[in-house]
Each structure stands twice: as C-alpha cells, then as structure tokens.
Amino acid sequence: MKPPKINVILIGLGRIASKLEKDPYRKKPCTHMGVISSPWGKKYFNFISGYDTKRETCEEFAKTWKEQAQVLPKELPSGFVFPNADLAVVATPSLTHGFFAKLCMASGIKHVLIEKPVAMDAKEAKSLERMAKAKGCKLWINHERRYHPSYLFVKNELGKGSFGVLKSIRASVFTSAKNPGIAFSKFGGGPLLHDGTHAVDLIHWLVGKPKLIHASLERPKKGFVETRAFANFRTKNQVEISLDVSGGREYFQFELDLHTDSHRIICSNDGFQFYRSIPSKLYQGFHSLQSYLPKGFPKPEVSNAFLGIYSEIVNVIQGKSKHMEGTIGENVQILESIESIYRFSK
C-alpha cells in the first residue's frame, strides 16, 4: 500500500524558501518550495500553506506557486497554533528560528526542518533539543552540503583511506557583504554565524568537533558584528584546521582545501579538484601533485543537495529509515565551536 502524502507547511517565504528558484544560474530545485512543488516532491508532499509576516511576500509567493500563503501578525495572539501537519519548514530570519521551531512543536508537528543557523547560540539550541526530546519530535537543520553527492563522495573516500591520511584543512568563506549590521546577540551574528556555519558544519562532519587553538576577530567598531573571523583548530588525530570567514569581498567564495599525506582535494562552490602524488618531472627524487578525476566521482547532473535532505526526511517519516544527518545535538556542538571563537577573541 502506497504511504499517504506528507502534509507540509512553510514558515517564511523569502530567498531560501522560494525566491531563489528564479535565479537562472542555480541548479533546480534550489529552494524549499522548489523541492515541494517539483515532480519528485509532488509524489510525496501535500502542501498546506505558506506563512510570512509581509503581505507583499505572501502575494508574490501565491502568484508564483499558485498555492495558499497567509500573513502572520508580527505579534502572534496568545494560544496561536499552526495547522495539523506532518512536517514544518522554518525558513524565517535567523533570529526567529528557535521561536518558530518551538511553536511548531507546541502545535503538535512532529517533524521540523530548520534553516541554518538553528539558533543564535548554543543555549537556545539546547532548549530546542530538550523540547524535541520531551515531545518526541525530530529536527533537521539545513546544512545542505552534507547531502551533496560530491561532498558525500569525498567524505566516504576519506573514510576508506582512498585519499590517504588527512593532515590539514583550510576552510574559507568570503562574501560581498560590506556593511554588517548591529550584532543580533552577545556572540555576534555576522559572517561567522550566518555563512561560516556551513564551513564549521563540514569540519565537524569530516573530523568531529576540533579544539580551538587561536582566534581573532575584526570589527568596524564596538557593538557591531565582525567583518572577519579567523581561527585555528586541532583534532585529537592532529589534523590542523584553519578557518577564515570574511565579508567585504567583491565575490562569493566557499572552499575547503584538504591535504592528506598523498592527495589534495579542493571542495568549492566553483567545483571540485583532485590531485595525487606522482614522481616529479620538475625535481629529481621528489614527488609532485598531479590533477586527476577519481573513479566514481558524481557527475554534475546528479548532484542536488536539496533533494538529498528531503529524501532523508521522507524516508524517516515513512518509517523506511532512522538515519538523520546534522542532528540538533551536532548543531549544538557547531554553535559551541563558533561561540568559542567569539569568546577567545574578546
């Protein structure tokens, strides 16, 4: 017997929820609504309604997707609950992720997908973890690169030893934001929390939670969020990690540069590059790195991280699997690593 469709609501109808689907350069689907309304998504999901505090955003959403969108008052009335649903997607501004996730759980919704960062600090994330456990809810956090076939390939091959022994990671996240706003919390709210969280997540995913060795922050003036965060970490296995997250660039760049004892792997928004050690043609008695394409590396047309996380959600809700990537517990640790950088830099 075919399982019933999953009833889903979408809270927050902005960029990652809907609007980026109009970007002609992005691989589709690239938004939550893009997945839900795709031919694949329609096999599994029944969309109930979208919600946003801006009327014009709701109207644009309804026009684009031919689906219902309701305007939420900025001050919700006492006792407000969302309609009965199997899954809620929280894609509101970061400052309200925790509030709406808790409201979804209080409304009786058992499965919640939350945009990153899951909360503004580890304390709030821990409270979400406790509430989810008490109510028997499952929470996903949309660190979508964990579900990207290319990143999965690199992680699996590292785990098998195909690329040798990992020695170091250089992670960089550079954005074009030049005028950071006032900090959202005492721990900040700038490039490190909102963009760098993806890099910190991948570091945790690949090597576990590392120990902070050194960190520094640059701020335009007191009371503002950082324009740059730089940190050095080390794992128990002596993997050295550097993290550089900065605004004020004329480009966007996300990159992990992995070095093993025999390989170099660059994982970037511009693509993946692989190098392996061969006898050098430049220096007698030395080895050099040569570019190559490893067997089994996924072709670009099959790579879509958004479909990956939603496939996992479908399998868990339908009882086909219990496996969940990027749990709330892991995201507590991610926020702890980020907060350690802020504290070290004071």
Side-chain angles (χ1 to χ4, degrees):
M1 183 177 177
K2 188 176 181 180
K5 287 189 176 183
I6 297 165
N7 292 318
V8 57
I9 62 173
L10 178 55
I11 307 165
L13 306 178
R15 282 169 51 82
I16 199 65
S18 169
K19 295 182 179 182
L20 287 178
E21 207 68 28
K22 295 180 180 180
D23 186 335
Y25 299 115
R26 292 177 183 255
K27 184 176 179 61
K28 308 299 189 302
C30 61
T31 62
H32 295 289
M33 197 59 195
V35 173
I36 294 166
S37 66
S38 69
W40 177 88
K42 288 180 178 179
K43 296 177 183 178
Y44 300 101
F45 298 103
N46 174 47
F47 185 73
I48 298 175
S49 182
Y51 298 87
D52 201 281
T53 57
K54 296 180 180 179
R55 181 171 298 278
E56 60 272 22
T57 300
C58 288
E59 292 173 351
E60 179 184 351
F61 179 89
K63 182 179 179 181
T64 299
W65 302 104
K66 304 298 187 293
E67 295 283 4
Q68 179 176 289
Q70 300 183 41
V71 181
L72 286 176
K74 292 186 178 181
E75 294 291 335
L76 294 179
S78 177
F80 176 88
V81 294
F82 286 110
N84 184 32
D86 304 302
L87 171 68
V89 181
V90 177
T92 58
S94 299
L95 195 60
T96 63
H97 286 173
F99 171 80
F100 280 109
K102 288 181 178 180
L103 184 54
C104 289
M105 289 190 282
S107 299
I109 300 172
K110 295 297 185 181
H111 306 89
V112 185
L113 170 59
I114 310 166
E115 266 302 322
K116 60 80 191 172
V118 63
M120 296 305 293
D121 54 50
K123 181 179 179 180
E124 185 180 20
K126 288 178 182 177
S127 72
L128 284 170
E129 184 178 28
R130 289 192 297 269
M131 185 173 181
K133 184 177 181 180
K135 290 188 171 293
C137 298
K138 292 182 171 63
L139 306 181
W140 283 266
I141 293 80
N142 191 30
H143 285 293
E144 75 275 4
R145 286 176 178 84
R146 285 184 178 228
Y147 300 89
H148 194 288
S150 298
Y151 283 96
L152 283 165
F153 174 83
V154 170
K155 177 179 170 61
N156 291 337
E157 293 302 306
L158 281 171
K160 291 189 295 185
S162 304
F163 294 144
V165 179
L166 186 63
K167 296 293 185 179
S168 66
I169 300 174
R170 180 185 59 80
S172 56
V173 185
F174 301 135
T175 74
S176 58
K178 294 184 177 181
N179 298 300
I182 298 295
F184 293 125
S185 73
K186 65 180 180 179
F187 288 115
L192 177 58
L193 181 61
H194 295 285
D195 298 304
T197 182
H198 279 303
V200 177
D201 171 68
L202 288 177
I203 290 168
H204 278 235
W205 187 53
L206 291 171
V207 298
K209 186 179 181 180
K211 180 181 178 181
L212 181 67
I213 304 301
H214 174 79
S216 63
L217 294 178
E218 295 177 10
R219 299 180 186 270
K221 58 183 178 180
K222 187 176 181 180
F224 276 63
V225 296
E226 79 282 354
T227 53
R228 186 184 187 191
F230 185 84
N232 293 111
F233 295 91
R234 183 179 298 132
T235 72
K236 292 180 179 180
N237 295 329
Q238 302 302 304
V239 177
E240 300 289 344
I241 302 165
S242 68
L243 172 68
D244 190 353
V245 184
S246 306
R249 305 298 177 100
E250 295 293 340
Y251 53 87
F252 171 71
Q253 179 70 48
F254 182 98
E255 183 175 284
L256 291 187
D257 191 353
L258 313 175
H259 282 260
T260 75
D261 57 354
S262 59
H263 286 68
R264 180 186 182 190
I265 307 105
I266 299 175
C267 313
S268 168
N269 57 296
D270 293 321
F272 283 60
Q273 300 172 51
F274 299 87
Y275 302 86
R276 59 187 171 189
S277 174
I278 63 167
S280 178
K281 296 180 180 179
L282 299 173
Y283 311 104
Q284 186 176 15
F286 283 79
H287 279 67
S288 298
L289 290 172
Q290 181 185 64
S291 175
Y292 82 111
L293 184 65
K295 183 179 180 181
F297 183 67
K299 295 181 179 179
E301 57 267 25
V302 302
S303 298
N304 191 299
F306 259 92
L307 289 176
I309 189 169
Y310 273 90
S311 295
E312 180 180 282
I313 290 171
V314 168
N315 288 335
V316 169
I317 292 178
Q318 292 184 347
K320 297 177 182 177
S321 172
K322 293 183 178 180
H323 177 74
M324 294 175 61
E325 279 287 353
T327 64
I328 181 63
E330 291 176 276
N331 276 265
V332 168
Q333 293 190 351
I334 290 165
L335 286 168
E336 287 174 344
S337 289
I338 290 173
E339 288 175 9
S340 70
I341 295 172
Y342 285 116
R343 283 195 296 268
F344 190 99
S345 304
K346 282 188 176 180

Short mmCIF file of all heavy atoms in Angstrom, two decimals, residues 84-113:
data_model
loop_
_atom_site.label_atom_id
_atom_site.label_comp_id
_atom_site.label_asym_id
_atom_site.label_seq_id
_atom_site.Cartn_x
_atom_site.Cartn_y
_atom_site.Cartn_z
N ASN A 84 -2.56 21.33 11.76
CA ASN A 84 -2.02 19.98 11.85
C ASN A 84 -1.23 19.64 10.58
O ASN A 84 -1.75 19.76 9.48
CB ASN A 84 -3.15 18.97 12.05
CG ASN A 84 -2.62 17.56 12.26
OD1 ASN A 84 -1.54 17.39 12.83
ND2 ASN A 84 -3.36 16.58 11.80
N ALA A 85 0.02 19.27 10.74
CA ALA A 85 0.88 18.93 9.60
C ALA A 85 1.87 17.87 10.04
O ALA A 85 2.15 17.70 11.23
CB ALA A 85 1.61 20.17 9.08
N ASP A 86 2.39 17.15 9.07
CA ASP A 86 3.42 16.14 9.36
C ASP A 86 4.80 16.77 9.42
O ASP A 86 5.68 16.30 10.15
CB ASP A 86 3.42 15.07 8.27
CG ASP A 86 2.06 14.41 8.10
OD1 ASP A 86 1.56 13.85 9.09
OD2 ASP A 86 1.51 14.49 6.99
N LEU A 87 5.00 17.85 8.64
CA LEU A 87 6.31 18.49 8.53
C LEU A 87 6.14 19.99 8.45
O LEU A 87 5.27 20.49 7.73
CB LEU A 87 7.04 17.99 7.27
CG LEU A 87 8.34 18.70 6.87
CD1 LEU A 87 9.44 18.43 7.88
CD2 LEU A 87 8.78 18.26 5.46
N ALA A 88 6.96 20.72 9.20
CA ALA A 88 7.03 22.17 9.10
C ALA A 88 8.44 22.56 8.69
O ALA A 88 9.42 21.99 9.19
CB ALA A 88 6.66 22.84 10.42
N VAL A 89 8.56 23.51 7.77
CA VAL A 89 9.85 24.03 7.34
C VAL A 89 9.97 25.46 7.84
O VAL A 89 9.13 26.31 7.50
CB VAL A 89 9.99 23.99 5.81
CG1 VAL A 89 11.36 24.52 5.39
CG2 VAL A 89 9.77 22.57 5.28
N VAL A 90 10.98 25.74 8.65
CA VAL A 90 11.19 27.07 9.22
C VAL A 90 12.29 27.76 8.44
O VAL A 90 13.47 27.40 8.54
CB VAL A 90 11.54 26.99 10.71
CG1 VAL A 90 11.82 28.39 11.26
CG2 VAL A 90 10.42 26.32 11.49
N ALA A 91 11.91 28.75 7.62
CA ALA A 91 12.86 29.48 6.79
C ALA A 91 12.74 30.98 7.03
O ALA A 91 12.84 31.79 6.11
CB ALA A 91 12.63 29.15 5.31
N THR A 92 12.50 31.35 8.26
CA THR A 92 12.37 32.74 8.68
C THR A 92 13.76 33.35 8.92
O THR A 92 14.77 32.63 8.87
CB THR A 92 11.54 32.81 9.97
OG1 THR A 92 12.20 32.02 10.97
CG2 THR A 92 10.14 32.28 9.75
N PRO A 93 13.87 34.65 9.22
CA PRO A 93 15.17 35.21 9.59
C PRO A 93 15.79 34.47 10.77
O PRO A 93 15.09 33.95 11.64
CB PRO A 93 14.83 36.67 9.94
CG PRO A 93 13.63 36.97 9.11
CD PRO A 93 12.84 35.70 9.09
N SER A 94 17.11 34.43 10.81
CA SER A 94 17.83 33.60 11.79
C SER A 94 17.40 33.85 13.23
O SER A 94 17.30 32.92 14.03
CB SER A 94 19.33 33.86 11.66
OG SER A 94 19.80 33.51 10.38
N LEU A 95 17.15 35.10 13.56
CA LEU A 95 16.81 35.46 14.93
C LEU A 95 15.55 34.78 15.42
O LEU A 95 15.36 34.61 16.62
CB LEU A 95 16.65 36.98 15.03
CG LEU A 95 16.64 37.61 16.43
CD1 LEU A 95 17.93 37.33 17.16
CD2 LEU A 95 16.40 39.11 16.31
N THR A 96 14.67 34.35 14.50
CA THR A 96 13.39 33.76 14.89
C THR A 96 13.32 32.24 14.67
O THR A 96 12.26 31.65 14.88
CB THR A 96 12.24 34.43 14.10
OG1 THR A 96 12.41 34.16 12.69
CG2 THR A 96 12.21 35.92 14.33
N HIS A 97 14.41 31.63 14.27
CA HIS A 97 14.39 30.18 14.02
C HIS A 97 13.92 29.40 15.25
O HIS A 97 13.05 28.53 15.16
CB HIS A 97 15.78 29.68 13.61
CG HIS A 97 16.16 30.05 12.22
ND1 HIS A 97 17.41 29.82 11.70
CD2 HIS A 97 15.45 30.66 11.23
CE1 HIS A 97 17.46 30.26 10.46
NE2 HIS A 97 16.29 30.78 10.15
N GLY A 98 14.52 29.71 16.40
CA GLY A 98 14.18 28.99 17.61
C GLY A 98 12.72 29.20 18.01
O GLY A 98 12.03 28.24 18.39
N PHE A 99 12.25 30.43 17.92
CA PHE A 99 10.86 30.74 18.29
C PHE A 99 9.88 29.93 17.46
O PHE A 99 8.96 29.29 18.00
CB PHE A 99 10.59 32.23 18.13
CG PHE A 99 9.14 32.61 18.28
CD1 PHE A 99 8.57 32.75 19.54
CD2 PHE A 99 8.35 32.81 17.15
CE1 PHE A 99 7.22 33.08 19.68
CE2 PHE A 99 7.00 33.13 17.28
CZ PHE A 99 6.44 33.27 18.55
N PHE A 100 10.04 29.95 16.15
CA PHE A 100 9.08 29.26 15.29
C PHE A 100 9.22 27.74 15.37
O PHE A 100 8.22 27.01 15.25
CB PHE A 100 9.21 29.75 13.85
CG PHE A 100 8.51 31.06 13.61
CD1 PHE A 100 9.23 32.22 13.40
CD2 PHE A 100 7.12 31.14 13.62
CE1 PHE A 100 8.59 33.43 13.18
CE2 PHE A 100 6.46 32.34 13.40
CZ PHE A 100 7.20 33.50 13.19
N ALA A 101 10.43 27.24 15.57
CA ALA A 101 10.60 25.80 15.73
C ALA A 101 9.86 25.32 16.98
O ALA A 101 9.18 24.28 16.95
CB ALA A 101 12.08 25.45 15.81
N LYS A 102 9.97 26.08 18.06
CA LYS A 102 9.26 25.71 19.29
C LYS A 102 7.76 25.81 19.10
O LYS A 102 7.00 24.97 19.60
CB LYS A 102 9.72 26.61 20.43
CG LYS A 102 11.12 26.31 20.92
CD LYS A 102 11.51 27.22 22.08
CE LYS A 102 12.90 26.88 22.59
NZ LYS A 102 13.31 27.76 23.71
N LEU A 103 7.31 26.84 18.37
CA LEU A 103 5.88 26.99 18.13
C LEU A 103 5.34 25.83 17.29
O LEU A 103 4.22 25.35 17.53
CB LEU A 103 5.60 28.33 17.43
CG LEU A 103 4.14 28.69 17.19
CD1 LEU A 103 3.33 28.65 18.48
CD2 LEU A 103 4.04 30.08 16.55
N CYS A 104 6.13 25.36 16.35
CA CYS A 104 5.72 24.21 15.55
C CYS A 104 5.57 22.96 16.42
O CYS A 104 4.58 22.22 16.31
CB CYS A 104 6.73 23.94 14.44
SG CYS A 104 6.73 25.16 13.11
N MET A 105 6.55 22.74 17.29
CA MET A 105 6.47 21.58 18.17
C MET A 105 5.31 21.70 19.14
O MET A 105 4.61 20.72 19.41
CB MET A 105 7.80 21.40 18.91
CG MET A 105 8.94 20.93 18.02
SD MET A 105 10.45 20.46 18.94
CE MET A 105 11.12 22.08 19.32
N ALA A 106 5.07 22.91 19.64
CA ALA A 106 3.94 23.13 20.54
C ALA A 106 2.61 22.93 19.82
O ALA A 106 1.60 22.61 20.46
CB ALA A 106 4.02 24.53 21.14
N SER A 107 2.61 23.11 18.51
CA SER A 107 1.40 22.92 17.70
C SER A 107 1.14 21.44 17.40
O SER A 107 0.16 21.11 16.72
CB SER A 107 1.50 23.71 16.40
OG SER A 107 1.65 25.10 16.64
N GLY A 108 2.04 20.58 17.83
CA GLY A 108 1.86 19.15 17.62
C GLY A 108 2.52 18.60 16.36
O GLY A 108 2.30 17.45 15.99
N ILE A 109 3.34 19.41 15.70
CA ILE A 109 4.04 18.96 14.50
C ILE A 109 5.28 18.18 14.91
O ILE A 109 6.13 18.69 15.64
CB ILE A 109 4.41 20.16 13.60
CG1 ILE A 109 3.13 20.91 13.19
CG2 ILE A 109 5.19 19.71 12.37
CD1 ILE A 109 3.39 22.22 12.47
N LYS A 110 5.42 16.96 14.43
CA LYS A 110 6.45 16.04 14.91
C LYS A 110 7.75 16.09 14.13
O LYS A 110 8.76 15.53 14.57
CB LYS A 110 5.91 14.60 14.89
CG LYS A 110 4.77 14.36 15.87
CD LYS A 110 5.22 14.57 17.32
CE LYS A 110 4.12 14.22 18.30
NZ LYS A 110 4.54 14.46 19.71
N HIS A 111 7.74 16.72 12.97
CA HIS A 111 8.96 16.79 12.14
C HIS A 111 9.16 18.24 11.69
O HIS A 111 8.25 18.83 11.11
CB HIS A 111 8.85 15.87 10.92
CG HIS A 111 8.52 14.45 11.28
ND1 HIS A 111 7.23 14.01 11.38
CD2 HIS A 111 9.32 13.40 11.58
CE1 HIS A 111 7.24 12.73 11.72
NE2 HIS A 111 8.49 12.34 11.84
N VAL A 112 10.34 18.79 11.97
CA VAL A 112 10.61 20.19 11.65
C VAL A 112 11.98 20.31 10.98
O VAL A 112 12.98 19.80 11.50
CB VAL A 112 10.59 21.07 12.92
CG1 VAL A 112 10.75 22.55 12.55
CG2 VAL A 112 9.29 20.86 13.71
N LEU A 113 12.00 20.96 9.84
CA LEU A 113 13.24 21.28 9.12
C LEU A 113 13.52 22.76 9.34
O LEU A 113 12.68 23.61 9.00
CB LEU A 113 13.11 20.96 7.63
CG LEU A 113 14.22 21.45 6.71
CD1 LEU A 113 15.58 20.88 7.11
CD2 LEU A 113 13.91 21.08 5.25
#
